[in-house]
Amino acid sequence: KIHVVLFRAPPRLEDGGALTRSSLALETADSCLYAAGNLQRPAAFLWPQQSENGAPGPWGGFLSAFAATGITKADWEAAFGSELGAIGNWPADSRKPDVFLTVEVKDFGKAKAVLQKLATASPESGGWSSSEKDGVVYYKQPPPNPMVPVTPTIGLSNRALIAGLDAATVENAIQRPAAQKSSLAATENFKKAESWLPTAKQSFVYFDLPLLYER
């Protein structure tokens, strides 16, 4: 019965446009987590090609991996939208939640080229296998450990890129109809929590602790 309201004042970011929360359509009434945020970064965080000193800390390593593929900031922005969604659905009959990330696709051809470069960027990525089904491109890796039921999977359609820890989760999410309405957004708990704070401009997070506890 405890309700937590958290307000965070982040640093001023580049203008990434209004937060659309388009990924909310992938949520169900069994969702324990929904997050959406703008991928725009503070102006001081530049891609390595744009800065002599690079970017600080872990961010620099992440961007360096992108730089190694030859993918530029312009390439990414031409292929994908600026909003990242994180989804956590936990059906009552499932042993674990289905957790995945999603980004809107602006140009399927360019997004496909970016994904291919990322999947073949290093020798360690050699385990990625690619396939196509019903116009959707899938990249999968075998489980890193036979004892751990994890099969990293990325799916790319003309609407979204979805990345998860198993193939079934990604395939189910990417096959949902574009016009499908969010079951989570219609629940009283979600609507009540949403009404407690002003309209989110840069990020929005909903975490259903009672549902997590019940599961």
Side-chain angles (χ1 to χ4, degrees), residues 54-207:
W59 185 262
F62 178 74
L63 295 183
S64 294
F66 270 76
T69 68
I71 298 171
T72 66
K73 180 171 180 274
D75 292 334
W76 180 270
E77 292 178 345
F80 300 102
S82 63
E83 191 171 308
L84 174 70
I87 315 292
N89 296 325
W90 199 339
D93 59 352
S94 178
R95 296 179 58 189
K96 60 180 179 62
D98 300 329
V99 181
F100 56 91
L101 301 176
T102 178
V103 180
E104 183 182 4
V105 169
K106 293 165 63 176
D107 186 303
F108 180 73
K110 293 178 180 178
K112 185 176 180 180
V114 168
L115 182 58
Q116 185 175 7
K117 285 183 179 181
L118 288 175
T120 57
S122 64
E124 292 79 7
S125 65
W128 288 102
S129 62
S130 63
S131 62
E132 287 197 35
K133 179 182 177 182
D134 299 328
V136 179
V137 178
Y138 292 100
Y139 278 88
K140 301 177 183 178
Q141 271 195 336
N145 186 318
M147 302 297 293
V148 181
V150 173
T151 308
T153 303
I154 301 173
L156 178 72
S157 72
N158 59 358
R159 294 189 293 116
L161 179 149
I162 295 178
L165 297 178
D166 64 86
T169 293
V170 172
E171 290 177 9
N172 290 338
I174 212 161
Q175 290 171 3
R176 287 175 189 158
Q180 175 177 289
K181 293 184 178 180
S182 169
S183 301
L184 176 65
T187 63
E188 287 301 318
N189 284 344
F190 184 88
K191 289 190 288 187
K192 183 186 297 183
E194 189 178 28
S195 70
W196 286 339
L197 292 172
T199 302
K201 295 182 179 180
Q202 294 180 357
S203 62
F204 177 91
V205 180
Y206 174 80
F207 191 37

Side-chain angles (χ1 to χ4, degrees), residues 7-22:
F7 179 83
R8 174 176 177 266
R12 184 177 298 276
L13 303 180
E14 298 174 8
D15 183 14
L19 196 65
T20 65
R21 294 192 299 173
S22 59

Side-chain angles (χ1 to χ4, degrees), residues 11-15 40-57 59-60 63 73:
R12 184 177 298 276
L13 303 180
E14 298 174 8
D15 183 14
Q40 295 293 331
R41 302 166 304 281
F45 284 14
L46 304 177
W47 288 64
Q49 304 98 309
Q50 299 172 306
S51 169
E52 293 181 359
N53 299 323
W59 185 262
L63 295 183
K73 180 171 180 274

